[in-house]
Amino acid sequence: TGPKEINSDTLVDAKLRDMPHLMFGDGAGKDKWQYTGKNILAPMVRAGTLPLRVLSREYGADIVYSEEIIDHGILNTKRVENKEHGTVDFITPDKGLSKKKRKRMKQSCQGPENLSRFRTYPGEPVVFQMGTNDAVRALKAAEVIARDVRAIDINMGCPKHFSVHAGMGAGLLSSPETIRDILTTLVRNLTVPITCKIRLKDTERDTIELLQMIEKSGVAAVGIHARCIYDRPKHPALVEKIRPLASGLSIPVIYNGDAFYYHDFQRFRDLTGCTSVMAARGALWNCSMFRREGLLPVYTVASRYISIAQRYSNQFRNTKYMLLQMIQAQEPKCRGSKMAIQAKNIPELTAALEACKSEGSMMEVKHYKLGVKFVNRDEDQVDISKNRQKHFRSLKMGLKRLAEAAAARKRSRGEGHMDVSDVKSTEGATSQKAANGNKGQKF
């Protein structure tokens, strides 16, 4: 497929035909996309910015997720059509930044693109992942972004304290009423597909009940990370637990967990019965895993990533983070890794990558290493028990916040403020769209 043709009424003019994101088209168009048979770049904090999404698409990814962005974060942005880069940027105004962040951006010597909270380009098959714990605020944030993305996904799987203690991420799994409110409100008020991504609950029955409730909310698809809340990346994905879950649903199910090579996409579809598969760490360490022909050397991928990051004036801190992920997954103690840690600009990062050329795992696919050593759960019960205790401490705070938010919404009804009931109530809807949701929509 040749470069995507740009209509004269778009913000991208002819001089920008060299943009990397124009090397591939928009597939068969928005109406032809479905959550079936897709190889997907999973949402990853700090990683799912435009350069990795563009590079993953270049290597063959069908759908790409953004990093999780909190609803408050997108509400405070301004939409800007960036003619220099051929992108659509959602900019955080200076006045919305802390003094510390403004100082850091000034010291980085980067341009105004540093203020971009989210960046996409016309036609990108991107799913915007949102962190939220409130239906009304989620809708307001979604309305800001909806016209520029293909779908909106609600994060219900992040087990980190910063999400759970705020009643977001995996914290939502303990509040099905909040999940129902958020999903149903978005489905009934937006035209873009709505999805969510969860983790496994403690029992199969609990997970099935949750998934049935999610399906009834009208979502277009659901993603399942094959790990429990208390698991960590070092614990192997619980692949065998997914087929009973997927087989009981009529909507597409997206599998997530331990996909590291191209052949894993079909392997996990066969093992789980899921319609699509997404890759996280595998793509973080070497996103050429999306190539049908197989992996490229990490050095080649990292060089291309730096080139794309420069072309879009990506934030240096983000570019450095990504390069370190690629290098340290292979050779964490090599000279190039140490140089990358100390790098303060792109030339120094490039020099660090060049210093890695003496490492076989960076230059030859046959020496490629996975950046994780898996630990059997039965041998790690002490750590899992600690994780469970940490989760419940965070969850206690999260549930308190959700209860406070519910009480505030109840009070606001008597004061005339906007509430879920003002945006097509989640109770008693009679329209056909409300009855069927958007699960029939194609993507």
Side-chain angles (χ1 to χ4, degrees):
T1 303
K4 178 184 173 183
E5 292 299 321
I6 304 297
N7 296 329
S8 59
D9 60 342
T10 67
L11 61 90
V12 186
D13 46 40
K15 70 179 181 179
L16 295 175
R17 296 291 174 108
D18 66 329
M19 291 283 106
H21 67 253
L22 300 183
M23 292 193 307
F24 34 78
D26 192 17
K30 181 174 181 178
D31 294 337
K32 300 296 182 182
W33 285 87
Q34 301 179 47
Y35 286 100
T36 303
K38 294 295 188 289
N39 301 337
I40 302 172
L41 176 69
M44 291 179 281
V45 173
R46 298 183 69 185
T49 50
L50 186 62
L52 182 64
R53 303 200 311 264
V54 168
L55 187 56
S56 296
R57 284 281 288 146
E58 186 175 310
Y59 289 141
D62 299 306
I63 298 171
V64 290
Y65 277 59
S66 73
E67 62 177 332
E68 178 198 24
I69 297 178
I70 307 303
D71 49 14
H72 286 292
I74 206 67
L75 275 172
N76 296 326
T77 60
K78 177 183 179 181
R79 183 182 184 276
V80 176
E81 295 182 351
N82 188 325
K83 293 187 177 181
E84 178 184 357
H85 298 297
T87 59
V88 176
D89 299 348
F90 290 83
I91 306 294
T92 302
D94 270 331
K95 63 182 180 180
L97 298 173
S98 66
K99 291 182 179 180
K100 182 178 179 180
K101 192 166 186 178
R102 281 199 298 268
K103 181 180 179 181
R104 188 175 70 225
M105 290 181 172
K106 183 178 180 181
Q107 291 173 341
S108 68
C109 298
Q110 307 266 332
E113 64 277 359
N114 255 335
L115 303 181
S116 178
R117 191 67 188 86
F118 172 69
R119 170 176 284 177
T120 183
Y121 60 83
E124 183 184 20
V126 62
V127 178
F128 181 83
Q129 191 181 64
M130 183 190 303
T132 187
N133 61 11
D134 181 84
V136 173
R137 192 169 61 248
L139 177 60
K140 291 179 180 178
E143 288 173 336
V144 173
I145 205 83
R147 73 183 237 194
D148 294 296
V149 299
R150 286 298 188 82
I152 294 172
D153 182 82
I154 303 302
N155 181 357
M156 299 181 184
C158 180
K160 299 295 185 181
H161 171 76
F162 68 81
S163 283
V164 177
H165 94 285
M168 299 185 294
L172 285 171
L173 300 181
S174 297
S175 181
E177 298 83 5
T178 306
I179 291 177
R180 184 186 297 110
D181 274 352
I182 292 172
L183 295 179
T184 310
T185 298
L186 294 180
V187 166
R188 292 177 178 170
N189 290 278
L190 299 172
T191 57
V192 297
I194 303 301
T195 65
C196 65
K197 183 168 175 283
I198 71 166
R199 282 188 174 232
L200 300 174
K201 299 199 73 174
D202 288 345
T203 68
E204 181 178 293
R205 180 176 179 178
D206 288 344
T207 309
I208 289 175
E209 290 178 354
L210 173 67
L211 287 168
Q212 289 174 340
M213 184 271 288
I214 288 173
E215 180 178 32
K216 289 178 181 178
S217 72
V219 296
V222 61
I224 305 177
H225 188 161
R227 288 183 173 86
C228 297
I229 298 171
Y230 324 118
D231 289 337
R232 291 298 176 260
K234 64 181 177 180
H235 300 131
L238 298 166
V239 184
E240 70 282 358
K241 292 184 178 292
I242 303 302
R243 180 172 284 276
L245 306 177
S247 63
L249 299 175
S250 61
I251 58 175
V253 180
I254 305 168
Y255 171 82
N256 176 214
D258 294 351
F260 299 114
Y261 303 99
Y262 181 82
H263 64 80
D264 285 337
F265 290 115
Q266 188 58 50
R267 182 168 72 90
F268 284 127
R269 274 192 282 269
D270 294 339
L271 286 173
T272 65
C274 292
T275 56
S276 294
V277 174
M278 59 171 52
R281 290 179 296 170
L284 179 67
W285 299 329
N286 188 337
C287 63
S288 69
M289 68 170 290
F290 289 107
R291 295 177 75 245
R292 186 182 299 272
E293 303 82 359
L295 293 175
L296 292 172
V298 176
Y299 173 84
T300 302
V301 176
S303 297
R304 180 62 179 149
Y305 179 86
I306 291 177
S307 175
I308 292 175
Q310 282 186 284
R311 189 63 189 85
Y312 291 105
S313 301
N314 192 48
Q315 296 179 27
F316 173 73
R317 288 164 61 90
N318 182 245
T319 303
K320 177 178 177 177
Y321 169 80
M322 282 298 303
L323 191 68
L324 280 170
Q325 294 299 311
M326 297 181 205
I327 294 175
Q328 292 184 337
Q330 303 304 310
E331 300 293 342
K333 297 182 180 179
C334 74
R335 176 169 168 264
S337 177
K338 295 176 182 178
M339 290 174 63
I341 292 172
Q342 298 172 355
K344 293 182 173 57
N345 51 52
I346 291 295
E348 290 182 4
L349 270 186
T350 303
L353 181 59
E354 292 300 312
C356 295
K357 294 178 74 173
S358 61
E359 306 295 337
S361 61
M362 292 290 293
M363 303 302 296
E364 298 182 54
V365 173
K366 65 181 180 180
H367 296 305
Y368 178 70
K369 307 172 187 175
L370 294 182
V372 61
K373 293 183 179 180
F374 288 110
V375 177
N376 189 295
R377 285 177 177 78
D378 293 337
E379 301 171 359
D380 201 35
Q381 286 301 310
V382 173
D383 194 33
I384 291 176
S385 178
K386 290 180 180 178
N387 293 338
R388 182 181 285 107
Q389 292 172 12
K390 291 178 182 177
H391 172 73
F392 282 123
R393 286 197 294 268
S394 299
L395 182 60
K396 184 177 180 180
M397 290 184 276
L399 293 178
K400 181 179 179 181
R401 289 197 178 195
L402 290 175
E404 291 172 349
R409 286 196 300 272
K410 187 174 181 179
R411 290 194 300 270
S412 71
R413 290 170 184 164
E415 299 172 5
H417 297 308
M418 180 181 181
D419 197 2
V420 175
S421 58
D422 299 319
V423 287
K424 296 184 182 178
S425 173
T426 62
E427 300 177 0
T430 57
S431 69
Q432 188 64 38
K433 180 179 178 182
N436 296 328
N438 61 0
K439 68 180 180 182
Q441 290 197 36
K442 293 182 177 180
F443 175 64

